[in-house]
Amino acid sequence: MAEIPKHHVPEENNTTSEKTGIQEEVPYLALDIGGSLIKLVYFSRYEQSPAEDHDNTDMMKALEHRSHPVHGGWLHFVKFETRDINQCLDFIKFKQLHCRVGTDMESKQKGIAAKIKVTGAGAHKFADLFMEKIGVTVEKEDEMDCLAIGANFLLKVIQNEAFTFIEGKKESVDINKNDLFPYIFVNIGSGVSIHKVAGDGNSELVDGTRIGGITCWGLGRWLTKCKSFNEIIELSKCGNTKRIDLFVEDTFGDREYVEKHTNKWTGPPNMNIGSFGKAISENKTLEDCNAEDISLSLLEMISHNIAQIASLNARIYGIKRIFFGGSFMKDNACALATLSSSVHYASKGTAKAMFLRHEGFVGALGALTSYENKHDLFIMDNDKMWKLP
């Protein structure tokens, strides 16, 4: 990867802080604040800040923190729960990520507050808190536009960003940026939004559903007493939906009969026809079911529903490629498998489900690219290069 000259930074911006030991060179920082999660993306010259070597790192604890090399530095991806907004702001303050963002020396000398790009509902809800805690102004970016822009960014710039999930295995997909459009983009966050993306700057929100990640988390918390969404995912790995869902063979009571007459009926014996169906057919109570089975059934039910809606939209618009993003899929093999198989089944094999590796940070990346590029920043992954506007 080629190296570019470092930008000149005024001496006063290079002074170290007694609290952190370093001030990051961060010309770009953006957040996507949703109903359940905060997704933060920033650019830095360093893969890991020397500040992280200090003992006082409790405030920097996050649900997720990963990095990706780009031309001249690194893109960092950090995630917090929205209810921990103060912890997120402490993280920004501790690493001084806001000190060189969205302002210049002249504005700074005049006492004009720096501006940080923020998208999602939290851009409005927490605007005053940003000013109070870290002294910056929130510049709101349209959430739906940011999702489409961020998806285009990832698919065009980051090599091996997209992958399929078949029979439990991820397989990278080569994306031809000259033959990318049109596609359906499905963002599974707290809720679900479905976008028809026809080109750069040409996208439309066409559908969605309120039954998304926060529904799964909320029901899972009530039914299993899990304290986090990750716990639900972990429990699902040991679950068995045969003990809780209703299948074709259950309704006939004779597997051999169903197998013999499969062509006449709606599906094979092992086809799931009713999530949580055995709560009725076998008169089960919550105490009769284990948390593992409930978690798996929840994840499959919600993923299947989303896949059905996405496939319907792909059919309506005559589009064969469906890309899924959103934090719901992070380390969620059950969701990946269900979305893949359900899209294949619902579309009769005409549509293909693909997923983004930076799944939860699509909107934040879209907001990041909205900065005026005063630093001539190029982001490059192998032979692909993207210049921030």
Side-chain angles (χ1 to χ4, degrees):
M1 183 163 56
E3 186 172 343
I4 61 174
K6 293 183 178 179
H7 304 307
H8 171 70
V9 181
E11 281 189 20
E12 67 178 79
N13 282 351
N14 274 329
T15 56
T16 58
S17 161
E18 292 181 1
K19 291 184 178 179
T20 67
I22 187 170
Q23 178 165 303
E24 294 271 21
E25 291 185 42
V26 186
Y28 301 103
L29 162 68
L31 298 91
D32 176 4
I33 307 179
S36 53
L37 294 173
I38 300 169
K39 289 77 64 177
L40 182 154
V41 179
Y42 70 94
F43 170 83
S44 172
R45 296 294 175 194
Y46 312 99
E47 179 180 8
Q48 181 177 5
S49 165
E52 294 175 19
D53 295 334
H54 287 242
D55 294 332
N56 186 20
T57 58
D58 287 344
M59 67 177 65
M60 298 199 301
K61 289 180 180 177
L63 294 176
E64 181 182 346
H65 193 168
R66 49 177 157 153
S67 305
H68 186 91
V70 297
H71 195 54
W74 294 78
L75 279 177
H76 299 268
F77 304 86
V78 191
K79 190 180 295 180
F80 295 89
E81 288 189 24
T82 303
R83 62 186 177 185
D84 294 327
I85 179 68
N86 283 301
Q87 189 178 30
C88 175
L89 294 176
D90 286 341
F91 173 87
I92 293 172
K93 187 175 182 180
F94 181 83
K95 292 172 69 65
Q96 298 191 32
L97 303 182
H98 59 303
C99 291
R100 299 191 62 243
V101 175
T103 190
D104 51 37
M105 285 302 300
E106 183 179 350
S107 297
K108 194 171 183 180
Q109 289 169 355
K110 291 180 179 178
I112 299 174
K115 295 179 181 179
I116 292 181
K117 302 285 188 177
V118 183
T119 188
H124 171 76
K125 183 176 182 179
F126 298 112
D128 292 342
L129 188 62
F130 272 77
M131 176 58 71
E132 176 188 332
K133 291 273 291 187
I134 59 176
V136 299
T137 299
V138 165
E139 191 164 353
K140 304 175 183 69
E141 295 295 325
D142 183 83
E143 183 176 3
M144 299 307 150
D145 287 346
C146 284
L147 286 170
I149 293 168
N152 287 344
F153 174 94
L154 287 168
L155 292 169
K156 285 187 173 186
V157 177
I158 307 298
Q159 189 179 41
N160 299 324
E161 175 65 27
F163 65 92
T164 56
F165 192 83
I166 301 172
E167 296 182 354
K169 294 182 179 179
K170 292 182 180 181
E171 185 171 336
S172 295
V173 177
D174 289 328
I175 299 296
N176 180 356
K177 64 180 180 181
N178 296 317
D179 186 32
L180 174 60
F181 308 110
Y183 65 85
I184 295 290
F185 176 65
V186 183
N187 188 65
I188 312 175
S190 296
V192 181
S193 60
I194 299 177
H195 309 252
K196 176 168 70 76
V197 185
D200 290 316
N202 185 3
S203 64
E204 179 184 0
L205 176 66
V206 294
D207 210 343
T209 172
R210 61 185 177 182
I211 304 175
I214 206 163
T215 304
C216 187
W217 188 357
L219 287 174
R221 186 173 183 178
W222 274 347
L223 297 174
T224 68
K225 308 305 180 185
C226 285
K227 295 181 180 179
S228 73
F229 185 63
N230 286 338
E231 284 186 58
I232 296 172
I233 293 175
E234 286 302 311
L235 285 172
S236 72
K237 295 175 182 179
C238 299
N240 183 352
T241 55
K242 289 285 187 179
R243 295 191 287 255
I244 197 169
D245 292 349
L246 195 66
F247 292 79
V248 168
E249 62 183 325
D250 296 321
T251 61
F252 287 91
D254 187 340
R255 184 181 180 89
E256 291 184 5
Y257 177 83
V258 177
E259 289 176 341
K260 186 177 179 180
H261 296 85
T262 293
N263 292 333
K264 293 184 178 181
W265 309 118
T266 57
N270 63 348
M271 183 177 181
N272 191 329
I273 60 173
S275 298
F276 296 96
K278 287 191 170 75
I280 302 300
S281 66
E282 297 184 5
N283 198 30
K284 288 190 173 184
T285 65
L286 185 59
E287 289 70 27
D288 296 325
C289 305
N290 62 50
E292 291 82 358
D293 297 343
I294 292 173
S295 298
L296 181 60
S297 183
L298 263 178
L299 286 171
E300 286 192 358
M301 176 181 68
I302 289 171
S303 300
H304 178 74
N305 182 62
I306 294 169
Q308 290 275 44
I309 299 172
S311 300
L312 176 61
N313 279 276
R315 186 187 308 172
I316 290 171
Y317 297 106
I319 296 174
K320 296 181 179 180
R321 286 174 292 193
I322 305 175
F323 292 98
F324 291 89
S327 296
F328 178 75
M329 296 178 302
K330 173 65 177 173
D331 298 326
N332 193 346
C334 172
L336 297 178
T338 305
L339 288 165
S340 294
S341 60
S342 297
V343 165
H344 181 80
Y345 180 83
S347 69
K348 298 182 179 179
T350 61
K352 187 176 185 180
M354 290 171 279
F355 308 93
L356 303 181
R357 296 186 190 276
H358 294 89
E359 67 290 302
F361 297 93
V362 181
L365 275 169
L368 191 80
T369 64
S370 67
Y371 279 104
E372 182 181 351
N373 190 13
K374 296 179 180 179
H375 302 265
D376 291 326
L377 176 64
F378 287 85
I379 294 176
M380 186 173 77
D381 191 282
N382 290 345
D383 61 338
K384 299 179 182 179
M385 185 173 287
W386 177 291
K387 183 177 180 180
L388 292 178

